[in-house]
Amino acid sequence: MEVIFRNVSFSYNDTPTGKLALDNVSVFLESNLIHGIIGPIGSGKSTMLELMNGITLPSKGEVLVGEYELTNKKSNFNFNDFRYDVGLVYQFPEKQFFCSTVGEEIAFSQKIFDPKNRNIKNKVKKVLKMVGLDETYIKRSPFELNGGEKRRVAIASVLISNPKLLILDEPTIGLDCNSKKRLMRLLKGLKTKYLKTIIIVTHDVDMLYEIVDDIVVLSDGKVIKTGNKIEVFNDIKLLDEKRVPVPNVVRTCNIIKDNFGIDLGYVENMNSLVRKITNVVNEQKKMVVVNNEK
Ligand code: ADP
Ligand code: MG
């Protein structure tokens, strides 16, 4: 499900002098990719999420989410259908748990949408599988799970309405390293196996660099850069100037290139970087031995 912002401006204070939280933003977020939205605090990330989730409407311009048109003019926008197609996972979603079992927690939103739904047990099993948890979780209390499991239950409770678009606000915040890795695998799987379009707002650019396809960089309500992650994150000068974090692996690769003239190409994370450097050093050692033998 693609998302298009066409000349979108938004102000929380709709007066002629009101500061724009988003200022003439135009972006095209392609279907079935993972998109990252990054930028300093106050740059407009949450406002952008709220606009694509229909919580607020643009002051100017239009937001198109699949076939839905979100404008401040009258449109044939059906909020009930829209709710099924777009799933939003808030920051710390597990803070909103209130059911006594995981099964009820996941089924809750579905029961509101469709109270007569008889197929709900199967749906719960299916989404648990999608997030990598087995059926034994259905009867467990959501409060006794570890941080990573809780986050996956929260995602399952959004996936149950089978959204085409999944929007996540800081999905890795507060997770330990292993839970984070599992969540990253889960998000990649939701794209490749279940063909979801995923939009992630985060400060965790190291995580983002591993799983994302395209990036939108916001600064002061404006898009200052957008495109493929490799192109965007290698513009280190711009990102530093605007105080936008750069993935450690990208920064290190650039230092290696500047100091040693070695271009390592795309390296997804620090572990792969260590492996690549080891290979380069081993190759060079072999060359020294061959040269000495001549
Ligand atoms: P981010 O998520 O990148 O930190 P926001 O979208 O929350 O940025 O904020 C963008 C701008 O809008 C900031 O200048 C912020 O102060 C302002 N803003 C955000 N929410 C409100 C609100 N409810 N009322 C007034 N101004 C707001
Ligand atoms: Mg925010």
Side-chain angles (χ1 to χ4, degrees):
M1 201 182 207
E2 63 192 27
V3 177
I4 300 170
F5 277 55
R6 235 181 243 152
N7 305 108
V8 171
S9 293
F10 182 81
S11 171
Y12 286 94
N13 168 15
D14 236 346
T15 62
T17 53
K19 185 181 174 289
L20 292 175
L22 284 183
D23 185 359
N24 200 23
V25 166
S26 293
V27 289
F28 174 65
L29 310 182
E30 211 178 308
S31 253
N32 192 214
L33 292 183
I34 303 184
H35 298 273
I37 300 177
I38 60 171
I41 292 172
S43 58
K45 304 181 296 294
S46 298
T47 305
M48 225 175 145
L49 285 199
E50 285 173 10
L51 284 164
M52 59 179 84
N53 193 46
I55 297 172
T56 46
L57 292 172
S59 313
K60 270 195 201 135
E62 53 188 3
V63 176
L64 308 171
V65 180
E67 75 226 41
Y68 303 97
E69 279 178 40
L70 288 71
T71 65
N72 60 5
K73 298 183 208 102
K74 255 196 171 156
S75 68
N76 54 354
F77 182 63
N78 181 333
F79 210 72
N80 280 343
D81 291 348
F82 183 70
R83 276 281 146 271
Y84 272 103
D85 282 338
V86 179
L88 176 65
V89 181
Y90 289 96
Q91 236 178 72
F92 295 110
E94 56 278 1
K95 281 190 180 162
Q96 291 169 28
F97 285 170
F98 66 97
C99 296
S100 58
T101 68
V102 166
E104 285 168 49
E105 193 63 62
I106 294 175
F108 181 75
S109 67
Q110 195 66 15
K111 281 184 184 154
I112 292 183
F113 280 133
D114 188 359
K116 288 198 198 107
N117 197 317
R118 298 207 180 99
N119 205 12
I120 215 150
K121 244 188 169 162
N122 285 337
K123 281 191 179 173
V124 170
K125 284 182 192 165
K126 190 179 158 210
V127 290
L128 270 175
K129 193 169 165 223
M130 281 170 86
V131 299
L133 298 174
D134 64 48
E135 288 177 22
T136 60
Y137 281 82
I138 292 178
K139 295 253 178 288
R140 290 179 64 181
S141 160
F143 300 100
E144 68 178 24
L145 306 177
N146 70 36
E149 291 168 328
K150 280 184 183 161
R151 192 71 46 98
R152 278 181 282 147
V153 168
I155 293 174
S157 71
V158 171
L159 288 174
I160 196 156
S161 55
N162 196 20
K164 297 187 186 107
L165 172 66
L166 188 65
I167 303 173
L168 304 109
D169 196 358
E170 295 285 1
T172 54
I173 201 164
L175 293 185
D176 63 39
C177 193
N178 279 335
S179 303
K180 202 157 135 172
K181 282 197 179 127
R182 293 194 66 168
L183 182 71
M184 285 157 69
R185 271 201 299 276
L186 160 64
L187 293 175
K188 273 191 201 168
L190 289 176
K191 176 186 95 164
T192 52
K193 254 170 89 182
Y194 298 98
L195 307 179
K196 306 286 182 197
T197 306
I198 300 176
I199 297 175
I200 303 173
V201 163
T202 188
H203 288 97
D204 187 351
V205 288
D206 292 317
M207 171 280 292
L208 205 55
Y209 194 63
E210 274 195 66
I211 66 166
V212 86
D213 296 292
D214 289 349
I215 299 275
V216 173
V217 188
L218 289 174
S219 172
D220 222 0
K222 295 189 180 72
V223 175
I224 54 162
K225 186 130 186 137
T226 173
N228 172 273
K229 66 171 169 191
I230 297 174
E231 189 196 322
V232 170
F233 278 129
N234 276 292
D235 196 346
I236 294 181
K237 195 165 165 266
L238 174 76
L239 299 179
D240 280 349
E241 197 182 294
K242 300 288 183 182
R243 297 179 184 279
V244 178
V246 175
N248 282 320
V249 69
V250 175
R251 204 179 278 284
T252 313
C253 282
N254 272 272
I255 292 171
I256 292 171
K257 195 171 162 190
D258 291 346
N259 287 286
F260 305 104
I262 300 169
D263 186 352
L264 293 166
Y266 171 65
V267 188
E268 66 170 2
N269 58 27
M270 291 305 266
N271 285 342
S272 315
L273 178 62
V274 171
R275 277 198 299 276
K276 274 210 172 181
I277 292 175
T278 312
N279 286 343
V280 170
V281 172
N282 283 338
E283 283 302 314
Q284 292 198 340
K285 272 188 195 162
K286 270 189 218 155
M287 278 169 64
V288 171
V289 172
V290 170
N291 284 339
N292 285 345
E293 282 172 356
K294 271 182 191 168

